[in-house]
Amino acid sequence: MNMFDSTNVTDKFLDEKRKKTDPLADQIMHEIITSGNHAQFIKTLKALVRNNSYSEHQFDLFPIEIQQKLNEYFKTTSTLPEWLDWKLIQLGQDVFNRYVLLIMMMLQYKSLPLCYSCKNGAKILHLTGRLTERYGSSKIFKRLAETGQMVANTMSPGSFLPNGKGIVTIQKVRLIHAMVRYFLQCPKYNTYEWDTDELGAPINQEDLTGTLMAFAPMIIDGLEQLNIKLTKQEKEGYIHCWKVIGYLNGIDHDLLPNTYNEAWELSIKILKHQAAPSAEGIELTKSCIDLHKNLTRGFLSKNIPEFMVRYFLKETSEATGLDIGETIGIKNSHNNHEKKIVLLSKFASISTVNKCFLIAYHKFQNISFKKNLSVPNSINSG
């Protein structure tokens, strides 16, 4: 088992990681779909999503061979790593619980834009369709809310305990990724021919790791941009939580950094390797920006969402030598008045954005969600 070593992370190393996916989840998904049971599996997966729990009896309607394989998958992938440090987990989850509202906001204005800046990975999000305006603002909001829900399930205190939501949430994500990979590469279901030589395998190891880094060290970086200074141990605790999440999500051991500095360095290397302008990344960004403009209409200047994205991408742009904002279609503005609004009132603005987002969260939940998304207590009390 190769452990992480930042000196090994070269362009050649990352090129190889673009060929690798998640063999365990891919194999079981292949067997489910080719056996003609994928419609029943989708129904079962929806039940798992609603309940945030797992029971072996949930697969009783499947043939016995598929039942056994699914139950073995859930058993095998629930094993926590031997190196897990519960003290660090508590530190990291305490950070999340303390700053949950800001972290949820950071997902929208920093983490996801970084994901959209990666040209090849953005094609997956665009092809799956639910993060563009073609499917309506309620669908966009639902997808963003589900991302927040995944983070809340895995980072809330107690998430990795036997009855916690974290492990089963990650197990479902792995199966969903495997399903997307299968359908994208199968001509029967997808008329768009996926070019593995050019793009890498769908949802490959580098893309999975890039997303993990966008949700881990980049969140810490964003908090520091808000003058929130974490201790070294708090940073390492937060990174440790996401290292465990990456392990459970099937990411290779040599892509799982141990420290904040290692994770930051890996983030920058992946961005240098993948960040480039794309029509898909620009459309994804525009859809989310337009949604936030609608949510904050009447509360904030209409250009605040773009300026917030640019502000939170500043450190990353400087570290990579790339203008990440330009990459996703957000032009640099020389309007000093607007810049002052962002820089001088960012705390008030952020509070307003989050309150608007939370109001809309409940609004869309009542109108269009078929399941209730659980809001962490620290959000409701914030």
Side-chain angles (χ1 to χ4, degrees), residues 28-29 31-51 58-59 61-62 66 70 74 130 142 172 175-180 182-183 189 370-371:
I28 192 167
M29 189 54 59
E31 294 182 21
I32 290 171
I33 295 174
T34 56
S35 66
N37 289 284
H38 61 280
Q40 178 60 43
F41 176 74
I42 291 173
K43 291 180 182 178
T44 304
L45 196 61
K46 288 181 178 178
L48 285 168
V49 170
R50 285 194 298 270
N51 299 331
Q58 288 175 306
F59 305 122
L61 295 178
F62 291 92
I66 300 297
L70 280 168
F74 275 88
R130 293 179 61 203
K142 182 176 180 180
K172 292 181 296 185
L175 291 176
I176 291 169
H177 285 168
M179 185 184 299
V180 170
Y182 183 91
F183 285 129
Y189 298 102
K370 294 183 179 179
K371 68 184 184 72

Side-chain angles (χ1 to χ4, degrees), residues 254-274:
D254 54 3
L255 285 171
L256 296 176
N258 297 299
T259 67
Y260 167 73
N261 288 337
E262 287 180 346
W264 169 264
E265 184 179 354
L266 179 58
S267 300
I268 299 306
K269 287 184 176 182
I270 290 175
L271 285 168
K272 286 182 176 181
H273 191 239
Q274 283 299 306

Side-chain angles (χ1 to χ4, degrees), residues 16-255:
E16 289 300 311
K17 292 299 181 181
R18 296 201 66 75
K19 301 175 185 177
K20 296 186 64 178
T21 56
D22 181 356
L24 178 61
D26 288 342
Q27 179 60 34
I28 192 167
M29 189 54 59
H30 179 270
E31 294 182 21
I32 290 171
I33 295 174
T34 56
S35 66
N37 289 284
H38 61 280
Q40 178 60 43
F41 176 74
I42 291 173
K43 291 180 182 178
T44 304
L45 196 61
K46 288 181 178 178
L48 285 168
V49 170
R50 285 194 298 270
N51 299 331
N52 283 313
S53 61
Y54 156 73
S55 166
E56 62 181 18
H57 298 296
Q58 288 175 306
F59 305 122
D60 286 349
L61 295 178
F62 291 92
I64 187 64
E65 298 85 0
I66 300 297
Q67 286 183 45
Q68 291 173 344
K69 290 181 181 297
L70 280 168
N71 285 319
E72 182 62 26
Y73 164 83
F74 275 88
K75 179 181 179 181
T76 301
T77 57
S78 66
T79 304
L80 294 169
E82 294 181 356
W83 42 259
L84 182 148
D85 185 323
W86 286 108
K87 290 183 178 179
L88 287 176
I89 292 292
Q90 182 175 349
L91 273 173
Q93 292 182 340
D94 284 349
V95 169
F96 175 79
N97 205 40
R98 193 184 322 145
Y99 300 114
V100 59
L101 205 56
L102 293 176
I103 290 171
M104 289 298 183
M105 179 273 296
M106 210 82 63
L107 292 175
Q108 315 303 323
Y109 289 109
K110 190 177 180 76
S111 301
L112 291 177
L114 286 170
C115 294
Y116 303 156
S117 75
C118 294
K119 180 178 179 179
N120 295 327
K123 291 184 184 296
I124 293 283
L125 294 170
H126 191 267
L127 281 172
T128 55
R130 293 179 61 203
L131 280 175
T132 65
E133 289 177 328
R134 292 172 293 161
Y135 291 81
S137 60
S138 64
K139 291 292 186 182
I140 300 169
F141 190 92
K142 182 176 180 180
R143 180 66 184 88
L144 295 177
E146 287 171 348
T147 300
Q149 186 71 73
M150 181 276 293
V151 173
N153 284 356
T154 54
M155 285 300 293
S156 294
S159 61
F160 296 126
L161 296 177
N163 294 322
K165 298 177 181 178
I167 294 175
V168 71
T169 295
I170 297 167
Q171 290 171 317
K172 292 181 296 185
V173 168
R174 288 180 73 170
L175 291 176
I176 291 169
H177 285 168
M179 185 184 299
V180 170
R181 280 191 289 266
Y182 183 91
F183 285 129
L184 278 179
Q185 296 179 99
C186 181
K188 177 181 176 181
Y189 298 102
N190 179 29
T191 56
Y192 174 90
E193 184 176 350
W194 185 264
D195 190 340
T196 303
D197 291 336
E198 178 186 352
L199 304 173
I203 317 180
N204 56 65
Q205 285 286 319
E206 185 186 28
D207 289 343
L208 287 168
T209 306
T211 301
L212 191 79
M213 296 301 101
F215 287 14
M218 291 303 167
I219 291 294
I220 295 175
D221 178 62
L223 290 175
E224 290 188 339
Q225 287 179 276
L226 299 176
N227 296 321
I228 295 171
K229 305 297 183 183
L230 302 180
T231 67
K232 183 178 185 297
Q233 279 297 96
E234 287 174 328
K235 289 181 180 181
E236 305 311 342
Y238 200 82
I239 294 300
H240 190 71
C241 287
W242 282 97
K243 181 180 179 182
V244 174
I245 292 169
Y247 171 90
L248 292 172
N249 207 27
I251 293 178
D252 291 346
H253 294 88
D254 54 3
L255 285 171

